[in-house]
Amino acid sequence: MENCIFCKIVKGEIPSTKLYESERVIVFLDINPIEKGHALIVPKLHWSNLAEVKLDTEKEIETYEELMYVMRVTAKAVISTGIADGANILQCNNACAGKTVDHLHFHVIPRYGKEAVAVPAFNSGAVKYEEGEVSVITKKLADAIKKIIQEEDLL
């Protein structure tokens, strides 16, 4: 899609803080994080929402399978690195559900033991990184994602 911000990130037209990238999926840090380490898992195929996912071709099936797998791996990485005690996985369909980018994506939101669980307000920019913190978190998560994928040997 020509004006889709995530399609532009996929094409390298807009920079992102990448945690993982394959030919089908990209994972990067959210620019308005709810918590430090808040990641987005995005298919490189443009599907507007979950209801529009087509599984008619081998490429579509492989993309969807890898998207689900990498979402799980990213949540596992958030917890295994000690960045957080747990993670919410959130996916919104359409603007009425809080979706702000019309491209299917999943949020992996780090959570900490004493928080109340609530649907977060997107684009609140509630959390700001300290200087150098993005680099540290990016390296931890990217390394953990790579390690988990290698250990599980499923891709």
Side-chain angles (χ1 to χ4, degrees):
M1 297 292 280
E2 192 172 305
N3 293 321
C4 174
I5 191 166
F6 287 173
C7 287
K8 289 179 179 184
I9 289 171
V10 166
K11 293 177 192 172
E13 296 172 4
I14 296 176
S16 66
T17 306
K18 291 179 195 171
L19 303 175
Y20 171 80
E21 184 172 17
S22 72
E23 68 181 62
R24 295 184 273 292
V25 176
I26 186 169
V27 181
F28 52 90
L29 292 179
D30 194 303
I31 61 168
N32 291 307
I34 293 164
E35 293 291 351
K36 293 174 182 178
H38 177 171
L40 301 176
I41 297 82
V42 179
K44 290 188 174 183
L45 289 177
H46 183 92
W47 291 312
S48 292
N49 61 46
L50 202 53
E52 292 185 10
V53 170
K54 293 185 177 19
L55 301 174
D56 297 332
T57 68
E58 188 173 329
K59 181 178 181 180
E60 291 166 334
I61 292 167
E62 288 173 350
T63 297
Y64 185 73
E65 288 174 344
E66 185 173 339
L67 179 69
M68 295 297 109
Y69 175 69
V70 172
M71 176 182 54
R72 182 187 68 79
V73 167
T74 303
K76 187 174 180 177
V78 163
I79 297 165
S80 70
T81 58
I83 287 173
D85 301 321
N88 286 122
I89 296 174
L90 184 63
Q91 193 277 317
C92 303
N93 287 290
N94 302 329
C96 64
K99 186 175 184 180
T100 58
V101 177
D102 193 31
H103 187 121
L104 177 65
H105 60 284
F106 290 84
H107 296 258
V108 173
I109 305 165
R111 305 305 278 181
Y112 306 90
K114 297 180 181 174
E115 298 172 331
V117 175
V119 175
F122 290 106
N123 296 320
S124 65
V127 171
K128 303 291 182 206
Y129 288 98
E130 301 295 325
E131 189 172 329
E133 204 169 20
V134 168
S135 299
V136 170
I137 289 173
T138 298
K139 179 161 179 30
K140 278 185 177 180
L141 285 176
D143 289 351
I145 290 167
K146 182 179 177 181
K147 181 181 178 192
I148 292 165
I149 289 171
Q150 287 173 342
E151 287 174 354
E152 292 182 350
D153 194 27
L154 296 174
L155 288 180

